Amino acid sequence: MRQPNQSFLDLTDQVLTQATQEGVMHLYTEDELLNGRQIQVQGRSLINFGSCSYLGLELDTRLIKGCAEAAQKYGTQFSSSRAYVSSGQYLELESLFIALFNAHCLVMPTTTLGHISALPALVTPGDIIILDHQVHASVQMASQLIKARGDKVDMIRHNQMDELEERIRKYRDTHRHIWYCIDGVYSMYGDLAPMDELYRLMDQYPQLYVYADDAHGFSWAGKKGRGTVLGSRTQHERLIVAVSLCKAFGAGGGLLILPNIEMKRRIRTCGSGVVFSGPMQPPMLGAAIEAAKIHLSGEVETLQQDLIDRIQYTRDLIQSHNLPDAANSESPIFYIGVGQLQVGYNLVRRLMSEGHYVNMGLFPAVPVNRTGIRFTVTVHHKKSDLKALVEAIAYHLPLALADEDSNLSEVRRAFEMQDNSEKKASQSQWTLEEYDQCRQLPDVWDELLGLQGNYDRSALSALEQTFCEENQSNHVNHWKFKYLIIRDSQNQVVLATFATNVCIKADMFASTEISKKAEQARKNNPYAYSYLTIMQGSWLTEGPQLYLDRTHKNWKSAVTEWLKWMVAWREQTGSVMIALRDHYGIDPELDELLQGKSFLRVQLPDSHKVDQPELFNEAGFFEKLSHDHRRHWRKAVAPFQNTFITRITEADNQWHNADQLEHWYKLYRQVYQRALDINTFPLPIEYFANLMTTPGWEALELYLPNEDLCAAVVFQYWNGKKLCPLVIGMDYQYLNQGVYRQALFQVMHRAKSLNSEPFSMGFGASLEKRRMGARAVETYTYMQATDTFDLAALDSISD
C-alpha cells in the first residue's frame, strides 16, 4: 500500500542520513581539552574550520571566570519560569545590552526561542509575514506558528528587493503591517542582507517592519560588535533584531533588540519562549555579562580587525586559486561549490585525511546540485592554517571531481558562475545517438524499450503529433522530444531512453494538501508555481522508460553519461528540474549512484501491476483475492456486471467524430478536476483526437442501455504484447451504479481477451485496483532541482 506523500522533512532525512553514513555528519570530538583551533575526531587531530566562535571568546579567561563564579554563587541552574521569577543576573545583562544598543533588550534562552516568542506576539491579525527564501529555518519555524493560527505568510526569492517592493505595494492596502524576515548574515553562503536598501524601504513604506536574525553577524561586525544589521546605524523604529549569544559573542542564549518598550513588554508577557521554556542558566548568564562588558569597552574591535585580516587573506587565497566561491562575501563564512553530493563526500574525506575539519553544505540548506564545502574562519586560526586549507581544497577538488566523473566547468554552471576554463575535448568509450523524432528511431528501439509500455514508435507518434511546438498555442503544451541510445565501443546498446522538455506544475509530485494550496493561487494565475523540466519519458507514459543492460561491466559509466546528457539539455533549455521516472522499488546500486549524483529519491503514488491477466474472473483469480476483497467483489462488482454495455472503438487514421470527441473530453475533465495525486496541466482535446487516428490505440466505452452517450471511457494502447491503459473519463453521476469499478473490470477483461502479458493499471485509486487483483508497486522518481523556491514557498505560505 502506498505510503503517505513524502514531505520536505522526508527528503531531508534521506539526504542527511546518507551524509551521516558517509561519515561527514553527526561526529563527536574526542578531546580532553579544547583550544579553539584543533579538535580530535575519529582518532585524528584536525584544524577546526567548523566553529562559529569567530572571535575566540569562548576561551577568554574573563568569560570562564564569570561562568565559574556565577555557578559558585547561584548553582548550576535557577529552575523557575520567568513568568514568576527570574535570576537578578538578567537585569544586569540586559542593562549592559541597553547601553550597547541604546534600545530595549530582552535576553532569551536561545535565539530560536526568541523567534518563537517575538513573532507570534508582535504579528497581529491583519498583518502579513514575508519570508526571504533563505531566512534561517528557526525563523521559518516561528512563521509556521503564525500560519497555523490563520494569519498570512508569503515568501520571496533571496535578497530580491524589487520583488519585496512589489509585494509591499500588493499588500499595503489589505494588511495593516507587512513583516519581512531576513538574516543579517545568511548561514550557508555567508552573504549579507541589503540593509541600506531595507532602511530606504522602511522609510518609504510605513507598513513595512523588518525582522532580522543577525546570529552570524553579531560581535564580529559593527561598532563595538553591534552586528551587520545595526552596525553603526541608529535602530529604525520598525526594525526588530534577534542575535545569538552562542557564536562570536562567546557565551550562550539569545537576545531580542527592540525599538520600543511596548514590544518588549508584550513579548515578556506573552512570548511562549519566555513563559513556558526553561530560563538561561546562571553560569551562562555570568559568561554573557563578562562578554557584554568586553563589547562595551570597545576591546572587541581589536579582535574584529584580527578576524577581518584573516577573512581578507582567505578571500585573496581563494581568488588566487580560482576556486568556485559561491558568495565572495566579507563574512567569516566561506562556501566552495562542488556540485554533486558524491563529490562533496569525497572532498570532505580527503580534507579530513590531511587534517582539516570542514562542514558540508547540502540539501535542504542549498539546492541538491549546489553541494559545497562550507568553512568558517576564526581568530584561533593561523594564516598558515588558512593557507594550508585553501591549497588542500585547490589540490583535492579536481581529484574529487575526477573520481566522480565531474569537472570544474560543471560546478561553475551549477552555481551560474562564469566559466573561463579552457574546454578540452574528452575521449569517451561511449557513442551517443540522439534523435529528435520517433520516426527516426532504429528498429532496436521497440525491441529493447518500446514494448515495455506505451512508448514504442507508434504510440510516441501521437504524443509528438499533439505536443510539438508548431501545433500548440499554449506554452504548457509545447513539448520538445529527445531520444537517446548509448552504445559501447563494440556497438552494443547499453542504455536507451527518451525525455521530454515540458512545463510542469511545481507540485506535480507533492502532497494533495500542497497542490490544493497551489490551485488556489492558479485561480488568478493559471501558470503560477510552474517551471520547465527535463523529464525522463513523459508524464503521459508509465513504466521504466529506460533500457539498461545491467550485465555490461561499465553500465554505471553509461548511466553517468546519460545524466550528463540530461544536465546539458537542462542547461540548454533553462529548465529548473530533471525528473527520472518511473522506478519500481529501490534498486540499491542504481539508487546509490543516482543519489551520489545529487538526485533525490521521491516516492510517487503506487503503480498497480496485473501479474496474471489470463486468470481474470476465473477460479484462480478469486483464490488470490483477500477475504475482504472477495466480499467486495460479491457486493460491489458482480451485481453490476450487466449494468453497462461495453463498446470498443479502435483507432483508425480516418476516424472523425466531433460530437463523440467532445463528450469524451468532458468526461476526462471531470476526472482531471478531482485528481491531485499527480497534479498536471489538463490535456488538450487534440491529444484524444490524435490517439484515435494512431494505430494501436482504442477507446473502451461503457454505456447504460438506451442511452446515446457513454458513462465512462478508457483510452488504452495495445503494443502487441501488453495492454497499456492511460486515461479515463467518467461521468460522476453514475458512481452509484459502480461505473468506475466496471471500467476497471472491462479493462481487465480486455487484457485477458488480448492475451496480454503482465501490465500496469497506472497510478491512483489504489484500493479499487487492488480489489480487482492488481498488486500495488512502490514507485519512485529521482529529482534534481536547481531552484527550490517554488516548493519551499508552497510549503511555507498560507492558503
CSV table of all heavy atoms in Angstrom, one decimal, residues 409-453:
chain,number,residue,atom,x,y,z
A,409,SER,N,34.1,22.9,-14.7
A,409,SER,CA,33.1,23.6,-15.6
A,409,SER,C,31.7,23.2,-15.2
A,409,SER,O,30.8,24.1,-15.1
A,409,SER,CB,33.4,23.2,-17.0
A,409,SER,OG,34.6,23.7,-17.5
A,410,GLU,N,31.4,22.0,-14.8
A,410,GLU,CA,30.1,21.6,-14.4
A,410,GLU,C,29.7,22.2,-13.1
A,410,GLU,O,28.6,22.7,-12.9
A,410,GLU,CB,30.0,20.0,-14.2
A,410,GLU,CG,30.1,19.3,-15.5
A,410,GLU,CD,30.0,17.8,-15.3
A,410,GLU,OE1,29.7,17.3,-14.2
A,410,GLU,OE2,30.2,17.0,-16.3
A,411,VAL,N,30.7,22.4,-12.2
A,411,VAL,CA,30.4,23.1,-10.9
A,411,VAL,C,30.0,24.5,-11.2
A,411,VAL,O,29.0,25.0,-10.6
A,411,VAL,CB,31.6,23.0,-10.0
A,411,VAL,CG1,31.4,23.8,-8.7
A,411,VAL,CG2,31.9,21.5,-9.6
A,412,ARG,N,30.8,25.2,-12.0
A,412,ARG,CA,30.5,26.6,-12.2
A,412,ARG,C,29.2,26.8,-12.9
A,412,ARG,O,28.5,27.8,-12.6
A,412,ARG,CB,31.7,27.2,-13.1
A,412,ARG,CG,33.0,27.2,-12.3
A,412,ARG,CD,34.1,28.0,-13.1
A,412,ARG,NE,35.4,27.8,-12.4
A,412,ARG,CZ,35.7,28.5,-11.4
A,412,ARG,NH1,34.9,29.4,-10.8
A,412,ARG,NH2,36.9,28.3,-10.8
A,413,ARG,N,28.8,25.9,-13.8
A,413,ARG,CA,27.5,26.0,-14.4
A,413,ARG,C,26.4,25.8,-13.4
A,413,ARG,O,25.4,26.5,-13.4
A,413,ARG,CB,27.4,25.0,-15.6
A,413,ARG,CG,28.2,25.3,-16.8
A,413,ARG,CD,27.7,24.6,-18.0
A,413,ARG,NE,27.7,23.2,-17.9
A,413,ARG,CZ,28.7,22.4,-18.1
A,413,ARG,NH1,29.9,22.9,-18.5
A,413,ARG,NH2,28.6,21.1,-18.0
A,414,ALA,N,26.6,24.8,-12.5
A,414,ALA,CA,25.6,24.6,-11.5
A,414,ALA,C,25.3,25.8,-10.6
A,414,ALA,O,24.2,26.1,-10.2
A,414,ALA,CB,26.0,23.4,-10.6
A,415,PHE,N,26.4,26.6,-10.3
A,415,PHE,CA,26.3,27.7,-9.5
A,415,PHE,C,26.1,29.0,-10.3
A,415,PHE,O,26.2,30.1,-9.8
A,415,PHE,CB,27.5,27.9,-8.6
A,415,PHE,CG,27.5,26.9,-7.4
A,415,PHE,CD1,28.0,25.6,-7.5
A,415,PHE,CD2,27.0,27.4,-6.2
A,415,PHE,CE1,28.0,24.8,-6.5
A,415,PHE,CE2,27.0,26.5,-5.1
A,415,PHE,CZ,27.5,25.2,-5.2
A,416,GLU,N,25.9,28.9,-11.6
A,416,GLU,CA,25.7,30.0,-12.5
A,416,GLU,C,26.9,31.0,-12.4
A,416,GLU,O,26.7,32.2,-12.4
A,416,GLU,CB,24.4,30.7,-12.2
A,416,GLU,CG,23.2,29.8,-12.5
A,416,GLU,CD,21.9,30.4,-12.2
A,416,GLU,OE1,21.9,31.5,-11.7
A,416,GLU,OE2,20.8,29.8,-12.4
A,417,MET,N,28.1,30.5,-12.3
A,417,MET,CA,29.3,31.3,-12.3
A,417,MET,C,29.9,31.3,-13.7
A,417,MET,O,29.7,30.4,-14.5
A,417,MET,CB,30.4,30.7,-11.4
A,417,MET,CG,29.9,30.6,-10.0
A,417,MET,SD,31.3,29.8,-9.0
A,417,MET,CE,30.5,29.6,-7.4
A,418,GLN,N,30.6,32.4,-14.0
A,418,GLN,CA,31.3,32.5,-15.3
A,418,GLN,C,32.4,31.4,-15.3
A,418,GLN,O,33.1,31.3,-14.4
A,418,GLN,CB,31.9,33.9,-15.5
A,418,GLN,CG,32.5,34.1,-16.9
A,418,GLN,CD,32.9,35.5,-17.1
A,418,GLN,OE1,32.7,36.4,-16.2
A,418,GLN,NE2,33.5,35.8,-18.2
A,419,ASP,N,32.4,30.7,-16.5
A,419,ASP,CA,33.4,29.7,-16.6
A,419,ASP,C,34.4,30.1,-17.7
A,419,ASP,O,34.1,30.1,-18.9
A,419,ASP,CB,32.7,28.3,-17.0
A,419,ASP,CG,33.7,27.2,-17.1
A,419,ASP,OD1,34.8,27.3,-16.6
A,419,ASP,OD2,33.4,26.2,-17.8
A,420,ASN,N,35.6,30.4,-17.2
A,420,ASN,CA,36.7,30.8,-18.1
A,420,ASN,C,37.7,29.7,-18.4
A,420,ASN,O,38.7,29.9,-19.0
A,420,ASN,CB,37.4,32.0,-17.6
A,420,ASN,CG,36.5,33.2,-17.5
A,420,ASN,OD1,35.7,33.5,-18.4
A,420,ASN,ND2,36.6,34.0,-16.4
A,421,SER,N,37.4,28.5,-17.9
A,421,SER,CA,38.4,27.4,-18.0
A,421,SER,C,38.4,26.9,-19.5
A,421,SER,O,37.4,27.0,-20.2
A,421,SER,CB,38.0,26.2,-17.1
A,421,SER,OG,36.7,25.8,-17.4
A,422,GLU,N,39.6,26.5,-19.9
A,422,GLU,CA,39.7,26.0,-21.3
A,422,GLU,C,39.0,24.7,-21.5
A,422,GLU,O,39.2,23.8,-20.7
A,422,GLU,CB,41.2,25.9,-21.6
A,422,GLU,CG,41.5,25.5,-23.0
A,422,GLU,CD,43.0,25.3,-23.3
A,422,GLU,OE1,43.8,25.8,-22.4
A,422,GLU,OE2,43.4,24.8,-24.3
A,423,LYS,N,38.2,24.6,-22.5
A,423,LYS,CA,37.4,23.4,-22.8
A,423,LYS,C,38.3,22.4,-23.5
A,423,LYS,O,38.9,22.8,-24.6
A,423,LYS,CB,36.2,23.7,-23.6
A,423,LYS,CG,35.3,24.8,-22.9
A,423,LYS,CD,34.7,24.3,-21.6
A,423,LYS,CE,33.7,25.2,-21.1
A,423,LYS,NZ,34.1,26.6,-20.8
A,424,LYS,N,38.5,21.2,-23.0
A,424,LYS,CA,39.3,20.2,-23.7
A,424,LYS,C,38.3,19.1,-24.1
A,424,LYS,O,37.5,18.7,-23.4
A,424,LYS,CB,40.3,19.6,-22.7
A,424,LYS,CG,41.3,20.7,-22.2
A,424,LYS,CD,42.3,20.0,-21.2
A,424,LYS,CE,43.3,21.1,-20.7
A,424,LYS,NZ,44.3,20.5,-19.8
A,425,ALA,N,38.6,18.7,-25.4
A,425,ALA,CA,37.8,17.6,-25.9
A,425,ALA,C,38.2,16.3,-25.1
A,425,ALA,O,39.3,16.0,-24.9
A,425,ALA,CB,38.1,17.4,-27.4
A,426,SER,N,37.2,15.6,-24.7
A,426,SER,CA,37.4,14.4,-23.9
A,426,SER,C,37.1,13.2,-24.7
A,426,SER,O,36.2,13.1,-25.5
A,426,SER,CB,36.6,14.4,-22.6
A,426,SER,OG,35.2,14.5,-22.9
A,427,GLN,N,37.9,12.1,-24.5
A,427,GLN,CA,37.7,10.9,-25.2
A,427,GLN,C,36.6,10.1,-24.4
A,427,GLN,O,36.7,10.1,-23.2
A,427,GLN,CB,39.0,10.1,-25.2
A,427,GLN,CG,40.1,10.8,-26.1
A,427,GLN,CD,39.7,10.9,-27.5
A,427,GLN,OE1,39.1,9.9,-28.1
A,427,GLN,NE2,40.0,12.0,-28.2
A,428,SER,N,35.7,9.5,-25.1
A,428,SER,CA,34.7,8.7,-24.4
A,428,SER,C,34.6,7.3,-25.0
A,428,SER,O,34.8,7.1,-26.2
A,428,SER,CB,33.3,9.4,-24.5
A,428,SER,OG,32.3,8.6,-24.0
A,429,GLN,N,34.3,6.4,-24.1
A,429,GLN,CA,34.1,5.0,-24.6
A,429,GLN,C,32.7,4.8,-25.2
A,429,GLN,O,32.4,3.7,-25.7
A,429,GLN,CB,34.3,4.0,-23.4
A,429,GLN,CG,33.3,4.2,-22.3
A,429,GLN,CD,33.5,3.2,-21.1
A,429,GLN,OE1,33.5,2.0,-21.3
A,429,GLN,NE2,33.6,3.8,-19.9
A,430,TRP,N,31.9,5.8,-25.1
A,430,TRP,CA,30.5,5.7,-25.5
A,430,TRP,C,30.2,6.5,-26.8
A,430,TRP,O,30.7,7.5,-27.0
A,430,TRP,CB,29.6,6.2,-24.4
A,430,TRP,CG,29.8,5.5,-23.1
A,430,TRP,CD1,30.4,6.1,-21.9
A,430,TRP,CD2,29.6,4.2,-22.7
A,430,TRP,NE1,30.5,5.2,-20.9
A,430,TRP,CE2,30.0,4.0,-21.4
A,430,TRP,CE3,29.0,3.1,-23.4
A,430,TRP,CZ2,29.9,2.7,-20.7
A,430,TRP,CZ3,28.9,1.9,-22.8
A,430,TRP,CH2,29.3,1.7,-21.4
A,431,THR,N,29.3,5.9,-27.5
A,431,THR,CA,28.7,6.6,-28.7
A,431,THR,C,27.3,7.0,-28.4
A,431,THR,O,26.5,6.1,-28.0
A,431,THR,CB,28.8,5.7,-29.9
A,431,THR,OG1,30.1,5.4,-30.2
A,431,THR,CG2,28.1,6.5,-31.1
A,432,LEU,N,26.9,8.2,-28.4
A,432,LEU,CA,25.6,8.7,-28.1
A,432,LEU,C,24.8,9.0,-29.4
A,432,LEU,O,25.3,9.8,-30.2
A,432,LEU,CB,25.6,10.0,-27.3
A,432,LEU,CG,25.7,9.8,-25.7
A,432,LEU,CD1,27.0,9.1,-25.4
A,432,LEU,CD2,25.6,11.1,-25.0
A,433,GLU,N,23.7,8.3,-29.6
A,433,GLU,CA,22.9,8.5,-30.8
A,433,GLU,C,21.7,9.3,-30.2
A,433,GLU,O,20.9,8.9,-29.4
A,433,GLU,CB,22.4,7.2,-31.4
A,433,GLU,CG,23.5,6.4,-31.9
A,433,GLU,CD,23.0,5.0,-32.4
A,433,GLU,OE1,21.7,4.9,-32.5
A,433,GLU,OE2,23.8,4.1,-32.7
A,434,GLU,N,21.5,10.5,-30.8
A,434,GLU,CA,20.4,11.4,-30.3
A,434,GLU,C,19.4,11.6,-31.5
A,434,GLU,O,19.8,11.9,-32.6
A,434,GLU,CB,21.0,12.7,-29.8
A,434,GLU,CG,19.9,13.7,-29.3
A,434,GLU,CD,20.6,15.0,-28.8
A,434,GLU,OE1,21.5,14.9,-28.0
A,434,GLU,OE2,20.1,16.0,-29.3
A,435,TYR,N,18.1,11.5,-31.2
A,435,TYR,CA,17.1,11.7,-32.2
A,435,TYR,C,16.1,12.7,-31.7
A,435,TYR,O,15.7,12.7,-30.5
A,435,TYR,CB,16.4,10.3,-32.5
A,435,TYR,CG,17.4,9.2,-33.0
A,435,TYR,CD1,17.9,8.4,-32.0
A,435,TYR,CD2,17.7,9.1,-34.3
A,435,TYR,CE1,18.8,7.4,-32.4
A,435,TYR,CE2,18.6,8.1,-34.7
A,435,TYR,CZ,19.1,7.2,-33.7
A,435,TYR,OH,20.0,6.2,-34.1
A,436,ASP,N,15.5,13.5,-32.6
A,436,ASP,CA,14.5,14.5,-32.2
A,436,ASP,C,13.1,14.0,-32.5
A,436,ASP,O,12.1,14.6,-32.0
A,436,ASP,CB,14.7,15.8,-33.0
A,436,ASP,CG,16.1,16.4,-32.6
A,436,ASP,OD1,16.4,16.3,-31.4
A,436,ASP,OD2,16.7,17.0,-33.4
A,437,GLN,N,12.9,12.9,-33.3
A,437,GLN,CA,11.6,12.5,-33.7
A,437,GLN,C,11.6,10.9,-33.6
A,437,GLN,O,12.6,10.3,-34.0
A,437,GLN,CB,11.3,12.9,-35.1
A,437,GLN,CG,11.1,14.4,-35.3
A,437,GLN,CD,10.8,14.8,-36.7
A,437,GLN,OE1,11.3,14.2,-37.6
A,437,GLN,NE2,10.1,15.9,-36.8
A,438,CYS,N,10.5,10.4,-33.2
A,438,CYS,CA,10.4,8.9,-33.0
A,438,CYS,C,10.5,8.2,-34.4
A,438,CYS,O,11.0,7.1,-34.4
A,438,CYS,CB,9.1,8.6,-32.3
A,438,CYS,SG,7.6,9.0,-33.1
A,439,ARG,N,10.1,8.8,-35.5
A,439,ARG,CA,10.2,8.1,-36.8
A,439,ARG,C,11.6,7.9,-37.2
A,439,ARG,O,11.9,7.1,-38.1
A,439,ARG,CB,9.4,8.9,-37.8
A,439,ARG,CG,9.9,10.3,-38.1
A,439,ARG,CD,9.0,11.0,-39.1
A,439,ARG,NE,9.4,12.4,-39.3
A,439,ARG,CZ,10.3,12.8,-40.1
A,439,ARG,NH1,11.0,11.9,-40.8
A,439,ARG,NH2,10.6,14.1,-40.3
A,440,GLN,N,12.6,8.6,-36.6
A,440,GLN,CA,14.0,8.5,-36.9
A,440,GLN,C,14.6,7.3,-36.1
A,440,GLN,O,15.7,6.9,-36.5
A,440,GLN,CB,14.8,9.7,-36.5
A,440,GLN,CG,14.3,11.0,-37.2
A,440,GLN,CD,14.9,12.2,-36.6
A,440,GLN,OE1,15.4,12.2,-35.5
A,440,GLN,NE2,14.9,13.3,-37.3
A,441,LEU,N,13.9,6.7,-35.1
A,441,LEU,CA,14.5,5.7,-34.3
A,441,LEU,C,14.7,4.4,-35.1
A,441,LEU,O,13.9,4.0,-35.9
A,441,LEU,CB,13.6,5.4,-33.1
A,441,LEU,CG,13.5,6.5,-32.0
A,441,LEU,CD1,12.3,6.3,-31.1
A,441,LEU,CD2,14.8,6.6,-31.3
A,442,PRO,N,15.8,3.7,-34.7
A,442,PRO,CA,16.0,2.4,-35.4
A,442,PRO,C,15.1,1.3,-34.8
A,442,PRO,O,14.5,1.5,-33.8
A,442,PRO,CB,17.5,2.1,-35.0
A,442,PRO,CG,17.7,2.9,-33.7
A,442,PRO,CD,16.9,4.1,-33.8
A,443,ASP,N,15.0,0.2,-35.5
A,443,ASP,CA,14.2,-0.9,-35.1
A,443,ASP,C,14.5,-1.4,-33.7
A,443,ASP,O,13.6,-1.9,-33.0
A,443,ASP,CB,14.3,-2.1,-36.1
A,443,ASP,CG,13.7,-1.7,-37.4
A,443,ASP,OD1,12.9,-0.7,-37.5
A,443,ASP,OD2,14.1,-2.4,-38.4
A,444,VAL,N,15.8,-1.3,-33.3
A,444,VAL,CA,16.1,-1.8,-32.0
A,444,VAL,C,15.4,-1.1,-30.8
A,444,VAL,O,15.3,-1.6,-29.7
A,444,VAL,CB,17.7,-1.6,-31.8
A,444,VAL,CG1,18.1,-0.2,-31.6
A,444,VAL,CG2,18.2,-2.5,-30.6
A,445,TRP,N,14.8,0.1,-31.1
A,445,TRP,CA,14.1,0.8,-30.0
A,445,TRP,C,12.9,0.0,-29.5
A,445,TRP,O,12.8,-0.2,-28.3
A,445,TRP,CB,13.6,2.1,-30.6
A,445,TRP,CG,12.8,2.9,-29.6
A,445,TRP,CD1,11.4,2.8,-29.4
A,445,TRP,CD2,13.3,3.8,-28.6
A,445,TRP,NE1,11.0,3.7,-28.4
A,445,TRP,CE2,12.2,4.3,-27.9
A,445,TRP,CE3,14.5,4.3,-28.3
A,445,TRP,CZ2,12.3,5.2,-26.9
A,445,TRP,CZ3,14.7,5.3,-27.3
A,445,TRP,CH2,13.5,5.7,-26.6
A,446,ASP,N,12.1,-0.5,-30.4
A,446,ASP,CA,10.9,-1.2,-30.0
A,446,ASP,C,11.3,-2.6,-29.3
A,446,ASP,O,10.7,-3.0,-28.4
A,446,ASP,CB,10.0,-1.5,-31.2
A,446,ASP,CG,9.2,-0.3,-31.6
A,446,ASP,OD1,9.3,0.8,-30.8
A,446,ASP,OD2,8.5,-0.3,-32.6
A,447,GLU,N,12.4,-3.2,-29.8
A,447,GLU,CA,12.8,-4.4,-29.2
A,447,GLU,C,13.3,-4.3,-27.8
A,447,GLU,O,13.0,-5.1,-27.0
A,447,GLU,CB,14.0,-5.0,-30.1
A,447,GLU,CG,13.6,-5.3,-31.6
A,447,GLU,CD,14.8,-5.7,-32.4
A,447,GLU,OE1,15.8,-5.9,-31.8
A,447,GLU,OE2,14.6,-5.7,-33.6
A,448,LEU,N,14.1,-3.2,-27.5
A,448,LEU,CA,14.7,-3.1,-26.2
A,448,LEU,C,13.8,-2.3,-25.2
A,448,LEU,O,13.9,-2.6,-24.0
A,448,LEU,CB,16.1,-2.4,-26.3
A,448,LEU,CG,17.1,-3.2,-27.2
A,448,LEU,CD1,18.4,-2.4,-27.2
A,448,LEU,CD2,17.3,-4.6,-26.6
A,449,LEU,N,13.1,-1.3,-25.7
A,449,LEU,CA,12.4,-0.4,-24.8
A,449,LEU,C,11.0,-0.2,-25.1
A,449,LEU,O,10.1,-0.2,-24.2
A,449,LEU,CB,13.2,1.0,-24.8
A,449,LEU,CG,12.6,2.1,-24.0
A,449,LEU,CD1,12.7,1.7,-22.5
A,449,LEU,CD2,13.3,3.4,-24.2
A,450,GLY,N,10.6,0.0,-26.4
A,450,GLY,CA,9.3,0.4,-26.7
A,450,GLY,C,8.2,-0.5,-26.3
A,450,GLY,O,7.1,0.0,-25.9
A,451,LEU,N,8.4,-1.8,-26.3
A,451,LEU,CA,7.4,-2.7,-25.9
A,451,LEU,C,7.2,-2.9,-24.4
A,451,LEU,O,6.4,-3.7,-24.0
A,451,LEU,CB,7.6,-4.1,-26.6
A,451,LEU,CG,7.6,-4.0,-28.1
A,451,LEU,CD1,7.8,-5.4,-28.7
A,451,LEU,CD2,6.2,-3.5,-28.6
A,452,GLN,N,7.9,-2.1,-23.6
A,452,GLN,CA,7.7,-2.1,-22.1
A,452,GLN,C,6.4,-1.4,-21.8
A,452,GLN,O,5.9,-1.6,-20.7
A,452,GLN,CB,8.9,-1.5,-21.4
A,452,GLN,CG,10.2,-2.3,-21.5
A,452,GLN,CD,11.3,-1.6,-20.7
A,452,GLN,OE1,11.1,-0.9,-19.8
A,452,GLN,NE2,12.5,-1.9,-21.1
A,453,GLY,N,6.0,-0.5,-22.6
A,453,GLY,CA,4.8,0.3,-22.3
A,453,GLY,C,4.2,1.0,-23.5
A,453,GLY,O,4.4,0.5,-24.6
